[in-house]
Amino acid sequence: MRKLGASIPPDLAAVLEKLALHRSDVCEEQLHTDEVSGKELLTRMLGGSGIPSQWVGNDFVADVQKLVRCLRWLACTLLPEVHDKCKQDGRRYPESSTLFFLWTAAEDVILHAWFDFILQHRVSHLSLHFDGVRISKPLPAPVDEFCKQCSDHIFEATGFNVSICQK
């Protein structure tokens, strides 16, 4: 949001910050589930899914739904041509599609910076996976240190603060 120069209501900004900085705590304390299931729920909601029955009545999930509506509105405001094209294409949920395109554009910027950094180290294999990258060994530093270097480089190159970790 900061990178876009956009603002959202303070209560929704607090929800977004909690999700960005404390996802594992949110999953445990607010969603009452494990991090894998919580991440799936949050990702599905970001994509436009409604609240699953087991979370109906959960105040935090309702706040996430409000946040997602706000993010869709923001995406449509920032990318009106994309939103219009999504409507013209007959997409069932053009607002969700517009947010998806904004989200994947940010991911693309991050991945390009990440790849540029990794390739500086002449790895013999680099492949993109749905949840990260696979890199051949030997790495130029121990895994934890290399992950930190990747995160630092992405921040320096893009301004996006991401946490890279070994899976």
Side-chain angles (χ1 to χ4, degrees), residues 58-120:
N58 180 305
D59 291 339
F60 187 80
V61 174
D63 288 343
V64 170
Q65 190 174 47
K66 289 176 196 171
L67 170 64
V68 170
R69 284 187 189 126
C70 182
L71 294 176
R72 287 194 300 254
W73 170 83
L74 179 64
C76 294
T77 302
L78 292 170
L79 303 171
E81 301 86 6
V82 173
H83 182 240
D84 289 343
K85 181 71 171 134
C86 289
K87 287 190 299 188
Q88 290 169 5
D89 288 349
R91 292 178 188 256
R92 188 170 176 189
Y93 302 107
E95 294 80 11
S96 294
S97 295
T98 305
L99 177 56
F100 168 78
F101 285 119
L102 180 62
W103 172 3
T104 55
E107 282 183 336
D108 189 57
V109 168
I110 291 166
L111 285 172
H112 275 282
W114 195 8
F115 284 5
D116 287 346
F117 180 75
I118 292 169
L119 292 174
Q120 290 174 14

Side-chain angles (χ1 to χ4, degrees), residues 12 44 48 53 73 101 106 109 118 126 153 163:
L12 299 180
R44 289 179 68 204
S53 59
W73 170 83
F101 285 119
V109 168
I118 292 169
L126 167 63
H153 176 81
S163 178

